[in-house]
């Protein structure tokens, strides 16, 4: 550009970004209609000689080009705005980037400001409710992490989570990642987009791009968050009155009888154990980042801390993070960069079974402390609940370091070569300790310590070529990767600590030999991959990928697998015959694809017969066979197909995305049970097929976009249908506790007995030969006279239901007799009574902005699945002296002939007939709508910030999380993850309770 000499006047000013008010270097400032101009300095300043009536144009890549009349002025400051359409054009895909309008797969994105709207403690929390087809659930307390499912569950017990790719580095979890470090997240939902990652792509791929520096003045950002948590809800538990009724009723006594000692403290005190063990807890979060650089080099450095106390005593989580991103443009043909991450986290948790399980069953009148404050050890065969939360130790410490570097060589304008290396190091130490106060009487303190050291290294080299020939755009990529893992594990356990004070293992009488061991494992993958894309004018689009993986986890006969994918797109809105619709239908693109994806996430050495020490004979330690191998073990393969359409309406102010998909997973990997005679419990095999299909819908709109007021809204909803197509197992079924896997069924099917009600009278248990229930008729004095069927007297044969050859009586459960033999048994009278997988789920987000104030509201919802309340079954069916049933069970029980009751008698001698399980009594609908987050932000006016030279922006916010939940579920939280077992979704053994959180924060930019 020419620089204009002094004419009539000199105009100067500062160009700043509307995003953060930071001065913008490198902005083009040009006199309109000429090539005369300048660029802004590193401080965003410019100076230009102009005529009084000239028009100045400000432009910068990724920002809106705008013009201003000089009007005789000598000082013109200008705020340049991002071009949202341009910014949204590029999405990150495997080993590259692509214009969003050219994407042919099912890719959804979350940007940094969307991710942090809910002030999440982890990246997955920030994604909840925002992405169609992506289900995210929590497993409980602070630091517990979340579970994510993309387009359904496609495996039995291999890994169910997606692959994470952070700046090119592949990993299986991102629990250590600070959400504030994330620039964007892309979720590759469809198989064709994910197939470039081969054997790790069957469950979807999540690509994360972290923040990097930008050319210009160094920016400093500081933030602080203070939060308070309260218990969102309690579970119903029985009070002393109800416990007394139960104590009498289980013995067959009158429930209304007066106690022998009415002044006894047993009947005159009620303890709320849930109040005892919970608290108002706090969260504190700090962050400090620096970023900046030049066109040749830039940097981003951030350090963060989060400390989060749980609402239950002795539960908390803390994490320290630091991240450094440095990028260089060494020459015109060489770029290089590195990312270094370090983190330390510590989670203190609970023995959830001992705490929450006992809360639901504990006698409400039993104290936990004597008058002098001494803790009472064991009461009613249960440990001290308060002591469990105060003195037990469940400490989880994790140290993690990651380093990733790359060098990119521009060989030709259209050809570049990139080489990367990534290292990921984990060190974990878990300490458990159970002091004598929580042990059964006479038992010593016990504890364990496990140490894990995991190291992985990944190296990749790939060539990328991209060329434009008039209206034809072609790109290709080919590469190779190697990745190795080394895992070391050590565990020590003892049940004989000498005292509670010294919790180290030099304070034990002896180790528990069977549970103390050390192990070392290694695993490796070698891969070759490629991709080809073509489009004509952005109208007709084609993409194809292929990857060949070889894994050490599989048998000699099947070490390698090939995973192809292909997709096409047609932008019909660019056709000539669609031009009349352009004012309304600004964009319309059809998409379709097919692929084959793999899953190799099984334990190491599953294909091999293993030997290990620890087999004792006559006191001598020997080596024996510990696992049967399967040399024919093959890859779990998912074949996927999808069709989709993307719509842009009214100049893309409204955007709609609709997808339909089908996934068929074959060669399912599963540990098949073996007969006891073999000496082994199971062997890993390929046993069947699972199908998933579903519909996804997303709509977003800039409803109002005025200068001072904006309203943005988005809504997504998705369905998923899961089906077991084939199961190479005896009878085509596998029963696991409360769940069944069988051909024609679904993962998550709950299998048990159906309770049709409770017999009011002994005589109510009467049926004709066809299984029709007869109606007993009584006279005015209550004496039985006859049976009727459909209003007419019945004189035929009478059949009675039996359980364990015992006739059911008044107060017993009327079980459904599926086979019609009037004998209720496990082989013939169980059926599917519920399912733990949701039928549909989604979210609704609204954001309102008025000048410096922003209000954002996020709802999410889940419908169509069930929860099996295992804790209710445990406390309500055992009818023993050491467990108190729930209040509904006691108040709704049958007590005498003629009672129309919801639940059976509490008389213990009838328990064996009524405690068949699982059963429909304890099935609950898991439908919910949650007000996930509400947040109000306020930024100080720019006119005020201009007066403060060292600060560019200050904003404050208040927010609330999990404020409201609409549900009929009476447990702690209807949002249940599978807790690590994908085959048992919706099984509630009372996990960590849901908390309601209130937050206040401040963000300052310098």
């Amino acid at each position: 550009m020419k620089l204009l000499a002094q004419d009539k006047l000199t105009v100067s000013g500062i160009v700043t970004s509307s995003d953060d008010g930071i001065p913008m270097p490198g902005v083009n400032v040009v006199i309109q209609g000429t090539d005369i101009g300048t660029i802004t300095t590193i401080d965003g300043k410019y100076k230009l000689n102009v005529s009084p009536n000239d028009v100045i144009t400000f432009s910068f890549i990724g920002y809106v080009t705008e013009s201003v009349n000089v009007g005789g002025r000598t000082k013109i400051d200008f705020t340049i705005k991002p071009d949202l359409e341009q910014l949204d054009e590029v999405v990150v895909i495997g080993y590259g980037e692509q214009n969003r309008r050219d994407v042919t797969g099912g890719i959804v994105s979350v940007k940094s400001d969307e991710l942090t709207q809910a002030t999440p403690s982890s990246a997955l929390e920030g994604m909840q409710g925002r992405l169609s087809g992506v289900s995210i659930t929590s497993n409980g307390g602070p630091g517990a992490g979340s579970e994510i499912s993309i387009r359904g569950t496609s495996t039995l017990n291999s890994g169910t989570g997606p692959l994470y790719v952070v700046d090119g580095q592949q990993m299986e979890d991102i629990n250590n990642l600070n959400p504030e470090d994330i620039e964007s997240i892309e979720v590759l939902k469809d198989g064709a987009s994910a197939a470039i990652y081969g054997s790790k792509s069957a469950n979807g791929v999540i690509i994360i791009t972290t923040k990097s520096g930008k050319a210009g003045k160094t920016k400093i950002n500081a933030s602080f968050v203070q939060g308070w948590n309260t218990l969102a809800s309690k579970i119903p538990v029985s009070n002393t009155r109800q416990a007394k009724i139960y104590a009498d009723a289980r013995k067959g006594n009158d429930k209304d009888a007066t106690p022998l000692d009415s002044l006894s403290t047993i009947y005159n005190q009620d303890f709320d154990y849930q109040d005892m063990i919970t608290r108002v807890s706090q969260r504190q979060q700090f962050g400090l980042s620096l970023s900046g650089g030049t066109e040749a080099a830039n940097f981003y450095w951030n350090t963060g801390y989060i400390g989060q106390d749980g609402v239950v005593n002795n539960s908390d989580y803390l994490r320290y993070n630091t991240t450094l991103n440095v990028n260089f443009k060494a020459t015109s043909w060489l770029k290089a960069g590195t990312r270094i991450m370090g983190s330390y986290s510590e989670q203190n948790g609970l023995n959830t079974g001992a705490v929450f399980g006992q809360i639901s069953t504990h006698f409400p009148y039993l104290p936990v402390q004597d008058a002098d404050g001494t803790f009472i050890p064991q009461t009613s065969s249960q440990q001290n609940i308060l002591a469990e939360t105060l003195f037990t130790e469940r400490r989880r410490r994790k140290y993690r370091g990651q380093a990733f570097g790359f060098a990119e060589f521009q060989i030709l304008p259209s050809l570049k070569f990139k080489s990367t290396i990534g290292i990921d190091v984990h060190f974990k130490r878990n300490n458990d300790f159970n002091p004598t106060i929580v042990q059964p009487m006479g038992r010593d303190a016990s504890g364990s310590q496990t140490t894990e050291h995991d190291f992985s290294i990944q190296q990749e080299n790939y060539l990328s070529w991209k060329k434009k020939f008039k209206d034809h755009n072609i790109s290709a990529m080919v590469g190779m990767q190697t990745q190795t893992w080394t895992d070391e594990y050590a565990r020590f356990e003892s049940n004989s600590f000498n005292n509670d004070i010294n919790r180290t293992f030099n304070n034990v009488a002896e180790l528990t030999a069977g549970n103390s061991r050390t192990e070392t494992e290694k695993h490796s993958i070698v891969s070759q991959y490629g991709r080809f894309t073509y489009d004509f004018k952005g109208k007709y689009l084609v993409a194809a990928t292929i990857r060949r993986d070889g894994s050490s986890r599989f048998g000699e006969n099947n070490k390698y697998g090939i995973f192809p994918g292909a997709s096409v797109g047609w932008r019909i809105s660019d056709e000539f015959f669609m031009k009349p619709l352009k004012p309304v239908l600004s964009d319309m693109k059809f998409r379709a694809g097919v692929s084959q994806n793999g899953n190799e996430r099984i334990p190491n050495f599953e294909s091999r017969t293993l030997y290990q020490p620890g087999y004792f004979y006559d006191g001598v330690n020997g080596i024996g066979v510990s696992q049967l191998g399967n040399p024919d073990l093959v890859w779990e393969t998912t074949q996927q197909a999808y069709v989709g359409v993307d719509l842009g309406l009214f100049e893309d102010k409204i955007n709609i995305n609709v997808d339909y998909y089908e996934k068929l997973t074959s060669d399912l990997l599963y540990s098949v049970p073996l007969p006891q005679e073999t000496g082994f419990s199971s062997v890993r095999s390929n046993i069947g097929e699972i199908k998933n299909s579903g519909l996804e819908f997303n709509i977003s709109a800039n409803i109002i976009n005025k200068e001072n007021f904006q309203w943005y809204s988005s809504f997504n909803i998705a369905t998923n249908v899961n089906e077991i197509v084939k199961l190479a197992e005896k009878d085509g079924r596998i029963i696991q506790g409360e769940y069944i896997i069988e051909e024609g069924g679904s993962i998550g099917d709950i299998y048990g007995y159906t309770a049709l009600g409770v017999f009011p009278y002994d005589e109510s248990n009467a049926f004709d030969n066809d299984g029709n229930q007869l109606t007993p008729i009584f006279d005015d004095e209550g004496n039985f006279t006859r049976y009727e069927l459909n209003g007419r007297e019945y004189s035929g044969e009478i059949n009675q239901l039996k359980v364990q050859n015992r006739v059911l009586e008044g107060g017993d459960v009327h079980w459904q007799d599926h086979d019609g033999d009037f004998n209720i048994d496990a082989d013939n009278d169980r059926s599917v009574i519920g399912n733990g997988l949701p039928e549909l789920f989604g979210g609704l987000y609204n954001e309102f902005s008025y000048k410096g104030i922003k209000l954002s509201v996020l709802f999410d919802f889940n419908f169509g699945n069930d929860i099996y309340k295992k804790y209710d079954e445990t406390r309500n069916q055992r009818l023993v002296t050491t467990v108190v049933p729930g209040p509904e069970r006691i108040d709704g029980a049958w007590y005498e002939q003629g009672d129309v009751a919801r639940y059976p008698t509490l008389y213990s001698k009838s328990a064996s007939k009524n405690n068949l399980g699982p059963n429909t009594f304890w099935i609950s609908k898991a439908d919910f709508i949650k007000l996930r987050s509400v947040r109000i932000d306020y930024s100080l006016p720019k006119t005020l910030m201009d007066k403060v030279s060292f600060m560019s922006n200050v904003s404050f916010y208040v927010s609330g999380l999990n404020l409201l939940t609409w549900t009929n579920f009476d447990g702690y939280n209807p949002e249940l993850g599978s807790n690590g077992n994908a085959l048992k979704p919706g099984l509630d053994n009372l996990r960590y309770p849901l908390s309601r959180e209130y937050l206040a924060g401040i963000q300052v930019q310098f």
Side-chain angles (χ1 to χ4, degrees):
M1 295 180 181
K2 299 177 183 177
L3 292 179
L4 182 67
Q6 176 68 39
D7 188 5
K8 294 184 179 180
L9 57 89
T10 299
V11 64
S12 62
I14 299 176
V15 179
T16 57
S17 169
S18 65
D19 278 340
D20 48 23
I22 298 296
M24 289 281 294
V27 176
N28 297 311
V29 186
V30 181
I31 299 175
Q32 192 175 76
T34 74
D35 59 356
I36 300 169
T38 184
I39 59 174
T40 57
T41 66
I42 194 170
D43 296 324
K45 296 179 180 179
Y46 74 94
K47 184 180 291 186
L48 188 64
N49 295 326
V50 299
S51 297
N53 296 322
D54 280 342
V55 176
I56 300 176
T57 298
F58 297 86
S59 65
F60 190 78
I61 295 175
Y63 287 76
V64 177
T65 299
E66 296 187 71
S67 301
V68 176
N69 291 314
V70 174
R73 291 175 291 174
T74 59
K75 184 173 178 61
I76 300 177
D77 292 333
F78 186 76
T79 299
I80 193 166
K81 301 174 183 177
D83 187 335
L84 298 180
E85 291 186 2
Q86 286 191 40
L87 291 177
D88 286 341
E89 281 184 351
V90 177
V91 295
V92 180
I93 59 175
Y95 305 101
E97 296 178 339
Q98 192 173 20
N99 290 335
R100 179 174 290 281
R101 74 187 313 269
D102 296 336
V103 169
T104 53
I107 300 177
V108 289
S109 304
V110 178
K111 302 302 181 184
S112 176
D113 57 342
E114 298 172 318
L115 186 72
T116 56
Q117 179 267 341
T119 321
S121 58
S122 69
L124 293 183
E125 284 184 14
M127 295 165 60
Q128 279 184 304
R130 291 185 172 274
L131 306 174
S132 63
V134 180
S135 174
I136 300 173
T137 53
S138 173
N139 271 321
S146 301
E147 293 178 2
I148 180 169
S149 174
I150 300 173
R151 292 187 169 177
T153 302
S154 301
T155 186
L156 293 181
N157 61 359
S158 300
T160 59
L163 170 69
Y164 300 93
V165 183
V166 181
D167 294 332
Q169 186 170 9
Q170 298 176 18
M171 53 191 68
E172 292 189 2
D173 73 78
I174 53 170
N175 294 332
N176 69 313
L177 195 59
N178 185 348
E180 295 291 340
D181 287 334
I182 297 174
E183 182 68 31
S184 67
I185 296 177
E186 269 76 37
V187 181
L188 312 186
K189 298 188 297 181
D190 69 288
S193 299
I196 194 68
Y197 292 104
S199 63
K200 300 179 181 179
S201 64
N203 300 317
V205 178
I206 296 180
I207 299 179
I208 296 173
T209 303
T210 61
K211 293 178 180 177
S212 58
K214 297 178 181 178
K217 191 175 181 180
T218 298
K219 299 179 182 179
I220 303 174
N221 291 274
S223 63
F224 171 72
V225 177
Q226 174 68 53
W228 296 267
N229 289 268
T230 61
L231 186 67
S233 63
K234 295 180 180 181
I235 60 167
V237 293
S238 296
N239 56 31
T240 296
R241 177 191 65 81
Q242 292 160 331
K244 187 263 177 189
I245 292 173
Y246 167 66
D248 291 330
R250 71 170 300 276
K251 297 181 220 175
N253 298 333
D254 182 359
K255 66 183 179 70
D256 297 319
T258 303
L260 296 177
D261 183 2
S262 61
L263 299 179
S264 169
T265 55
I266 288 180
Y267 302 112
N268 289 279
Q269 57 187 9
D270 252 314
F271 295 106
D272 190 330
Y273 299 114
Q274 294 181 84
D275 275 351
M276 284 186 187
I277 69 167
T278 56
R279 61 189 176 182
V280 176
S281 62
Q282 296 190 44
R283 189 220 293 202
Q284 289 188 330
Q285 207 165 327
F286 305 89
L288 178 65
S289 71
L290 287 80
S291 63
T294 65
E295 294 296 333
N298 61 68
F299 71 93
Y300 169 84
W301 172 73
N302 182 43
T303 294
Y305 162 82
I306 180 172
Q308 188 173 11
D309 292 332
V311 292
V312 180
N313 297 336
N314 202 28
S315 62
D316 56 72
Y317 175 72
L318 65 84
R319 184 184 68 227
Y320 297 91
N321 289 83
T322 189
T323 300
L324 176 65
N325 276 0
V326 181
N327 296 285
F328 301 93
K329 188 175 182 180
T331 68
S332 60
W333 50 269
L334 174 62
K335 294 179 182 179
T338 186
R339 171 181 49 78
I340 300 172
M341 289 184 177
S343 67
Y344 167 76
S345 65
E346 182 174 327
Q347 179 190 13
N348 290 298
L350 304 161
N351 183 345
T352 55
V355 174
F356 301 118
Q358 292 187 80
I359 275 180
S360 65
T361 63
H362 214 63
F363 283 87
Y365 47 75
L366 295 176
V368 294
Q369 290 175 280
D370 284 331
D372 61 0
T374 303
F375 282 87
I376 299 171
Q378 187 184 61
T379 54
S380 188
S381 299
Q382 294 187 344
Q383 281 68 55
N384 188 308
I385 297 176
L386 183 59
E388 285 277 2
T389 65
L390 294 177
F391 304 124
T392 58
E393 181 180 11
R394 296 293 183 273
R395 191 181 184 197
R396 308 288 182 258
R397 287 171 289 171
K398 297 181 181 179
Y399 306 80
R400 190 168 184 178
Q402 295 165 293
F404 182 79
F406 75 91
E408 184 177 282
F409 302 86
Q410 194 75 45
I411 302 172
L412 298 170
S414 60
L415 180 65
K416 60 186 178 182
F417 171 77
K418 190 171 186 178
S419 182
T420 71
I421 187 168
I423 297 172
D424 193 357
V425 180
H426 297 238
F427 180 82
K428 308 173 190 176
R429 174 155 289 173
N430 298 343
N431 291 92
D432 292 355
F433 188 78
N434 301 301
T436 53
I437 188 63
V438 301
Q439 298 283 2
M441 298 291 288
R443 186 176 295 178
D444 293 332
S446 64
S448 66
Q449 176 176 291
T450 61
T451 302
E452 295 181 58
H453 180 217
D454 303 332
F455 174 83
S456 68
I457 184 168
Q458 166 193 321
Q459 206 282 317
E460 288 188 292
N461 302 287
Y462 57 96
L463 281 165
S464 301
W465 177 77
K466 189 174 185 179
K467 193 75 173 179
K468 182 178 178 68
F469 301 95
K470 294 184 179 180
D471 293 329
H472 304 271
N473 297 289
I474 303 175
S475 71
M477 182 271 298
V478 62
M480 61 84 63
Q481 178 195 55
T482 60
Q483 195 168 7
T484 61
W485 295 262
T486 302
D487 305 322
E488 298 178 5
Y489 176 87
R491 177 182 174 85
F492 302 98
E493 181 178 312
S494 177
N495 295 321
S496 56
F497 278 77
N498 292 319
N499 54 61
D500 295 340
I501 300 172
N502 185 351
R503 300 186 175 188
T504 61
F505 279 82
N506 57 3
N507 186 39
V508 302
E510 62 179 0
L511 293 175
T512 305
N515 292 326
S516 299
R517 64 187 187 278
T518 61
E519 298 174 356
T520 300
E521 296 183 356
K522 291 188 177 182
H523 164 222
S524 61
I525 290 180
V526 61
S527 311
Q528 302 86 38
Y529 50 85
R531 177 174 57 232
F532 172 83
T533 67
Y534 166 80
D535 76 79
F536 175 72
K537 290 185 176 181
K539 187 190 302 184
Y540 310 114
L541 308 124
V542 176
T545 64
I546 191 168
R547 185 173 181 121
R548 178 178 182 264
D549 282 338
S551 172
S552 63
R553 286 176 167 167
F554 290 90
E556 291 294 331
N557 304 328
N558 299 288
K559 279 193 178 297
Y560 292 89
I562 296 177
F563 307 98
S567 59
V568 295
W570 176 28
R571 177 162 284 101
I572 190 174
S573 57
D574 284 359
E575 298 290 356
F576 73 93
F577 55 80
M578 296 292 290
K579 286 184 179 179
L581 298 177
K582 273 289 185 182
V584 176
L585 187 63
S586 48
D587 187 47
M588 184 176 185
K589 179 178 65 178
F590 292 106
R591 299 175 283 106
V594 295
S595 65
Q596 183 170 292
N597 308 79
N599 186 0
E600 61 99 43
R601 295 187 198 177
I602 58 173
N604 298 324
F605 314 120
E606 289 281 315
S607 64
R608 302 186 181 188
T609 298
L610 299 183
Y611 300 81
Q612 72 177 35
Y615 291 84
F616 290 85
Y617 179 77
D618 198 21
V620 179
N621 190 0
I623 295 176
V625 179
S626 60
Q627 173 184 289
L628 283 181
N630 181 358
D632 296 321
L633 204 64
V634 301
W635 304 83
E636 196 171 84
T637 303
T638 299
Q639 300 175 47
Q640 303 190 45
Y642 68 91
V643 293
V645 60
D646 301 328
L647 300 174
L649 306 177
F650 306 107
E651 297 182 346
D652 292 345
K653 291 179 180 178
I654 301 174
N655 291 281
I656 299 172
N657 313 97
V658 183
D659 284 80
Y660 174 78
Y661 64 88
E662 289 190 0
K663 301 166 61 175
L664 180 66
T665 304
S666 56
D667 295 321
L668 292 171
L669 296 164
Y670 185 74
S671 294
V672 177
L674 293 175
Q676 293 183 351
E677 301 91 287
T678 65
F680 299 92
S681 60
S682 63
V683 63
R684 183 75 71 166
S685 301
N686 300 98
I687 67 165
E689 296 179 351
I690 291 178
K691 180 182 177 181
N692 283 276
S693 60
L695 187 66
E696 299 167 350
F697 175 83
N698 181 82
I699 181 171
S700 61
N702 290 300
I703 299 173
I704 299 176
N705 192 14
K706 303 294 185 181
E707 181 178 355
N708 290 326
F709 180 71
Q710 298 85 39
W711 175 15
Y712 170 80
S713 183
S714 68
F715 172 78
N716 70 83
I717 188 170
T719 68
N720 179 261
V721 177
N722 182 280
E723 181 186 356
I724 309 293
V725 177
K726 180 182 177 183
L727 204 59
E729 182 67 10
K730 182 182 179 181
D731 300 327
R733 57 166 53 181
I734 299 171
I735 298 175
Q736 285 197 346
E738 299 81 10
Y739 291 77
I740 186 171
I741 309 163
E742 63 179 340
E743 291 182 6
S746 166
I747 287 178
D749 278 343
I750 304 169
Y751 190 61
Y753 300 89
T754 300
L756 300 178
V758 175
F759 290 124
Y761 299 94
D762 293 341
E763 293 82 1
S764 299
N765 182 10
F767 302 84
D768 69 5
N769 291 332
D770 294 326
N772 299 306
Q773 188 175 7
L774 307 177
T775 303
I777 304 300
F778 300 86
D779 62 22
D780 294 339
E781 297 178 357
N783 298 312
F784 171 74
T785 60
R786 65 186 184 280
Y787 283 111
E788 289 185 356
L789 179 63
N790 298 325
R792 295 182 179 181
E793 185 173 351
Y794 178 80
S795 58
E797 184 178 356
I798 296 174
N799 302 279
Q800 292 184 299
L801 289 179
K802 297 179 181 180
V803 173
Q804 301 166 359
N805 291 319
R806 297 174 62 193
V807 174
L808 298 177
E809 302 170 324
D812 289 335
V813 178
H814 177 183
W815 301 109
Q816 184 166 351
D817 180 23
H818 286 284
D819 64 349
D821 67 350
F822 303 104
N823 182 49
I824 307 301
D825 61 86
D827 292 335
N828 301 301
D829 294 309
R830 288 185 294 174
S831 64
V832 174
I833 58 176
N835 187 276
L837 295 179
E839 294 178 358
L840 61 88
F841 56 91
L844 171 65
Y845 177 72
N846 280 282
E847 182 177 291
F848 307 90
S849 301
Y850 176 72
K851 295 184 177 180
I853 302 173
K854 182 170 72 174
L855 168 65
S856 52
V857 183
L858 175 65
F859 291 88
D860 64 346
F861 56 86
N862 182 101
F863 292 98
N865 57 314
D866 301 294
I867 288 176
Y868 190 73
K869 298 191 290 183
K870 182 66 177 179
Y871 69 92
D872 256 355
E873 179 191 309
T874 300
R875 67 178 178 174
N876 290 338
Q877 293 198 168
R878 293 174 64 191
L879 303 184
V880 293
T881 57
T882 56
V883 170
V884 180
E888 282 192 358
R889 175 69 175 92
I890 295 173
D891 292 340
W894 182 97
Y895 289 100
E896 60 185 5
Q897 294 289 323
D899 280 354
V900 178
R902 180 179 178 185
Y903 296 107
T905 177
L906 293 169
Y907 189 34
S908 61
K909 289 186 177 180
S910 296
S912 62
K913 296 183 289 183
N914 297 318
N915 65 2
L916 304 181
N919 65 64
T920 53
F921 277 128
W922 322 124
I923 293 284
S924 175
K925 287 295 181 184
D927 302 343
F928 69 82
I929 300 174
K930 277 193 179 184
L931 178 53
R932 179 71 62 179
S933 67
V934 177
R935 175 165 163 166
I936 300 175
D937 293 76
Y938 174 70
S939 297
L940 295 180
K942 188 177 183 303
T943 53
L944 176 61
M945 298 311 303
D946 288 342
K947 298 177 182 179
V948 184
S949 60
F950 62 92
M951 285 193 296
S952 60
N953 188 42
V954 177
S955 63
F956 307 88
Y957 67 86
V958 292
S959 67
L961 306 180
N962 299 317
L963 295 180
L964 293 170
T965 302
W966 291 269
T967 183
N968 289 325
F969 178 63
D970 63 357
Y972 280 132
N973 188 1
E975 182 187 352
L976 286 179
S978 64
N979 209 22
N981 188 340
L983 300 183
K984 295 187 175 184
L987 182 64
D988 191 1
N989 281 306
L990 282 184
R991 304 182 199 170
Y992 199 96
L994 178 69
S995 63
R996 188 174 289 121
E997 187 168 20
Y998 307 91
L999 298 157
I1002 182 173
Q1003 297 173 325
V1004 182
Q1005 296 179 350
F1006 299 92

